[in-house]
């Protein structure tokens, strides 16, 4: 047997890389975790934490949830600055980075700060920032967890201030008065809601006429209603032809030119049209792996690439590109690589979008069930039906259950409203274990709680069967 330096080398120390490295270490393997950035965390500290923490900071400073009770004037902090929002964000990032670093140290995973590239299937070159190869290491098996970066606009350069992508958000010095966001995916929508809640005039442009095509149509329509209530101008089904810098005596600005002939002028533009895999420097050709046009990698059901012994997990393999799914992908890949038994509900994952109000979903949508020919019924609960939501001021929202008419099995749960990302796990557990809609009618749900919406929705759905 060949004596390699390591059993498992992981390239990328984001959520997927960290999870797979720790899992392999728990299996008694010699593990190296290679990260080209100064510290660990990857997309967790670069994208996920900033977008979510900025949202919470905005909700706090604006008193968003208390507006209906106390009014806007009484609840909103005046003259909110980017520096105010960054206090909380910087604290959370530092805390999370230290936590991740501690977990890796405890797992006895060796961290190597370098840029990695394949020399052959078992040999990896490590380079300094200048690109000079310093040394090579050998490994039995490898895992690519390099994550993704924001796709840049092809027609103009991004300066990180007037035209920026989500990766630039931590470097913003000032909040714009007006903002155009190109792309209505999860990241674009999250920042759209956050900036709109601050009173910034936001225009949202999306090439498709429908947003979040993987989500339930009714939930998306509800989000559209709330966006318009916050003054967001939606330009759906519009394609961006060009983006131009405007510089005159009145100050700097940006013009976005659409294929329809419309022109949108704003203080800044945020470009959010997807993400590109960070695989360009890996020298994948040396091992015979091909990336797609977004530099992402194709894997099988065990997260193994086309080359035996080389795996890929996390955002670099595409949808769903969530921290939660990336972590479980990493653990499953390590277990498969070293023959450990696995059992997972990875295919039944909860998807959340931290809009305002937030969205969460698990299981099937009405459209999917219609296409599959499965008879179903729907039960709904408005957030205002649960007194806990009225108490907290979170009474804008909807919880929707979808269940099979014939056997009453719960098939999908779709929520829009504050704490939707917490509530969704109740539905996830019931679906995963083959539960029916009757579970919510036969169980005691504490009062007053947000979970009461499940009971109200179940009653509504069952009543429909009797009409």
């Amino acid at each position: 047997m060949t004596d390699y330096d390591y059993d498992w080398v992981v390239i990328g120390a984001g959520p997927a890389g960290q999870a797979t490295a720790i899992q392999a270490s728990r299996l008694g393997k010699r593990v190296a975790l290679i990260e080209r950035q100064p510290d660990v965390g990857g997309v967790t500290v670069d994208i996920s934490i900033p977008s979510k923490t900025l949202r919470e900071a905005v909700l706090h400073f604006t008193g968003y949830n208390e507006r209906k009770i106390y009014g806007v004037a009484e609840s909103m902090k005046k003259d909110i600055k980017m520096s105010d929002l960054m206090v909380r964000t910087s604290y959370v990032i530092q805390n999370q980075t230290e936590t991740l670093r501690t977990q890796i140290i405890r797992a006895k995973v060796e961290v190597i700060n370098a840029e990695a590239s394949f020399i052959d299937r078992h040999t990896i070159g490590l380079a300094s920032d200048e690109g000079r190869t310093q040394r090579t290491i050998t490994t039995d098996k490898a895992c690519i967890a390099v994550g993704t970066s924001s796709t840049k606009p092809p027609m103009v350069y991004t300066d990180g201030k007037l035209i920026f992508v989500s990766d630039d958000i931590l470097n913003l010095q000032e909040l714009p008065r007006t903002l155009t966001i190109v792309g209505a995916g999860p990241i674009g929508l999250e920042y759209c809601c956050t900036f709109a809640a601050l009173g910034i005039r936001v225009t949202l442009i999306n090439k498709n006429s429908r947003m979040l095509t993987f989500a339930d149509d009714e939930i998306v329509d509800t989000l559209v209603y709330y966006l318009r209530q916050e003054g967001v101008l939606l330009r759906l089904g519009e394609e961006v032809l060009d983006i131009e810098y405007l510089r005159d005596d009145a100050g700097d600005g940006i013009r976005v030119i659409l294929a329809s002939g419309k022109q949108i002028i704003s203080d800044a533009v945020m470009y959010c049209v997807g993400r590109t895999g960070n695989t360009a420097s890996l020298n994948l050709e040396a091992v015979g792996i091909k990336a797609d046009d977004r530099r992402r990698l194709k894997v099988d059901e065990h997260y193994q690439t086309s080359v035996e012994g080389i795996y890929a997990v996390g955002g670099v393999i595409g949808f769903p590109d969530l921290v939660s799914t990336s972590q479980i992908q990493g653990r499953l890949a390590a277990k498969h690589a070293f023959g450990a038994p696995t059992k997972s509900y990875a295919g039944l994952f909860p998807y959340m979008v931290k809009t305002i109000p937030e969205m969460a979903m698990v299981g099937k949508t009405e459209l999917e069930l219609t296409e599959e020919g499965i008879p179903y019924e729907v039960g709904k609960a408005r957030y205002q039906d649960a007194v806990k939501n009225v108490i907290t001021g979170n009474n804008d929202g909807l919880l929707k259950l979808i269940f099979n008419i014939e056997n009453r099995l719960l098939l999908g749960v779709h929520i829009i409203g504050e704490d939707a990302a917490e509530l969704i796990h109740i539905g996830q557990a019931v679906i995963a274990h083959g539960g029916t809609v009757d579970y919510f009618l036969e169980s005691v749900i504490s009062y007053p709680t947000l979970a009461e919406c499940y009971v109200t929705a179940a009653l509504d759905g069952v009543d429909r069967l009797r009409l």
Side-chain angles (χ1 to χ4, degrees):
M1 180 178 179
T2 304
D3 185 22
Y4 298 108
D5 298 327
Y6 301 96
D7 301 308
W8 190 239
V9 166
V10 182
I11 306 174
Q18 181 209 16
T20 196
I22 292 176
Q23 180 61 66
S25 180
R26 287 173 177 166
L27 295 174
K29 304 304 176 181
R30 297 167 297 167
V31 182
L33 180 59
I34 305 172
E35 174 56 51
R36 65 182 178 183
Q37 299 298 329
D39 218 329
V40 299
V43 72
T44 304
V45 298
D46 293 337
I47 303 299
S48 183
I49 288 176
S51 65
K52 276 63 174 179
T53 310
L54 282 173
R55 176 187 184 276
E56 294 304 315
V58 167
L59 291 178
H60 169 73
F61 281 122
T62 63
Y64 186 89
N65 293 325
E66 286 74 41
R67 290 179 183 179
K68 288 184 175 61
I69 301 173
Y70 302 109
V72 175
E74 293 297 324
S75 61
M76 186 170 184
K77 180 183 183 299
K78 306 302 184 294
D79 300 323
I80 300 172
K81 297 179 173 60
M82 192 66 189
S83 57
D84 297 325
L85 304 178
M86 286 307 301
V87 170
R88 185 169 187 163
T89 304
S90 299
Y91 167 76
V92 176
I93 289 174
Q94 181 181 358
N95 177 274
Q96 184 66 9
T97 301
E98 291 176 354
T99 299
L100 295 174
R101 192 188 305 120
T102 300
Q103 291 173 348
I104 292 170
I105 292 172
R106 286 177 178 171
K108 294 181 172 57
V109 171
E110 181 180 351
V111 177
I112 302 173
N113 284 113
E115 185 164 23
S117 61
F118 286 97
I119 294 175
D120 59 42
R121 180 176 157 186
H122 297 288
T123 309
I124 296 174
L126 304 178
S128 64
D129 293 337
E130 293 76 25
R132 179 173 53 84
T133 299
Q134 297 173 323
R135 65 187 177 103
T136 61
I137 57 175
T138 59
T139 182
D140 182 15
K141 298 177 181 180
C143 185
I144 301 169
V146 293
T148 58
S149 298
S150 295
T151 301
K152 301 287 182 72
M155 68 287 291
V156 66
Y157 75 93
T158 57
D159 61 5
K161 297 177 182 179
L162 300 183
I163 301 177
F164 59 94
V165 293
S166 59
D167 293 359
D168 300 321
I169 201 74
L170 296 178
N171 299 320
L172 288 185
Q173 299 299 312
E174 297 179 358
L175 292 169
R177 293 178 300 105
T178 59
L179 175 67
T180 299
I181 297 178
V182 180
I187 295 175
L189 282 169
E190 288 179 356
Y191 280 116
C192 172
C193 292
T194 297
F195 286 120
L198 285 167
I200 295 170
R201 194 175 72 206
V202 179
T203 300
L204 181 64
I205 303 170
N206 196 52
K207 187 175 181 179
N208 295 325
S209 58
R210 293 290 300 177
M211 302 185 300
L212 304 179
T213 54
F214 57 84
D216 181 85
D217 287 346
E218 186 174 10
I219 299 298
V220 174
D221 289 342
T222 304
L223 175 64
V224 168
Y225 169 79
Y226 289 132
L227 289 173
R228 287 179 170 146
Q229 288 292 100
E230 286 298 308
V232 175
L233 177 62
L234 297 174
R235 295 297 187 193
L236 304 180
E238 296 273 14
E239 185 176 358
V240 174
L241 282 186
D242 200 6
I243 302 175
E244 300 175 344
Y245 284 92
L246 298 176
R247 303 187 187 277
D248 53 35
D249 295 338
D252 297 333
I254 305 295
R255 176 190 288 123
V256 178
I257 303 172
L258 305 181
S260 63
K262 299 183 184 71
Q263 296 188 11
I264 302 167
I265 297 176
S266 56
D267 292 337
V269 169
M270 185 175 190
Y271 196 78
C272 298
V273 296
R275 299 183 66 78
T276 300
N278 296 324
T279 57
S281 62
L282 292 180
N283 191 28
L284 295 175
E285 297 82 2
V287 290
I289 296 176
K290 293 183 178 180
D292 66 12
D293 57 350
R294 281 289 184 96
R295 297 178 184 167
R296 296 168 300 193
L297 306 180
K298 185 177 180 180
V299 295
D300 63 16
E301 67 274 19
H302 303 296
Y303 306 104
Q304 188 167 215
T305 67
S306 57
V307 177
E308 184 180 358
I310 299 180
Y311 293 72
V313 292
V316 75
I317 67 172
F319 186 86
D321 194 6
L322 301 170
V323 171
S324 54
T325 53
S326 296
Q327 290 172 329
I328 196 166
Q329 288 168 4
R331 290 193 288 269
L332 292 173
K335 287 185 176 182
H336 180 266
F338 299 107
T342 62
K343 182 178 181 181
S344 169
Y345 295 102
L348 184 67
F349 59 87
Y351 202 111
M352 76 166 185
V353 185
K354 277 286 189 173
T355 45
I356 301 176
E358 68 190 46
M359 306 167 59
M361 58 216 75
V362 67
K364 298 287 187 177
T365 65
E366 287 195 64
L367 179 60
E368 287 173 332
L369 293 172
T370 299
E371 292 176 345
E372 295 172 11
I374 298 176
Y376 67 87
E377 188 52 85
V378 172
K380 303 176 187 178
R382 303 289 171 182
Y383 259 43
Q384 62 192 23
D385 296 335
V387 69
K388 177 63 180 292
N389 288 311
V390 181
I391 292 171
T392 59
N394 298 331
N395 54 339
D396 288 336
L398 169 70
L399 184 147
K400 177 177 179 178
L401 304 180
I402 306 177
F403 60 95
N404 191 307
I405 291 177
E406 298 173 348
N407 54 24
R408 298 162 81 106
L409 285 174
L410 187 64
L411 302 175
V413 180
H414 306 272
I415 311 173
I416 182 168
E418 284 308 292
D419 293 313
E422 303 289 344
L423 278 176
I424 199 67
H425 296 100
I426 298 173
Q428 179 191 18
V430 173
I431 295 173
H433 294 282
T436 68
V437 69
D438 299 295
Y439 169 82
F440 303 111
L441 306 179
E442 298 164 353
S443 301
V444 176
I445 305 294
S446 295
Y447 173 91
T449 62
L450 306 182
E452 287 182 273
C453 287
Y454 275 99
V455 179
T456 304
L459 286 169
D460 177 61
V462 170
D463 285 345
R464 292 176 187 274
L465 296 179
R466 298 170 182 157
L467 295 179

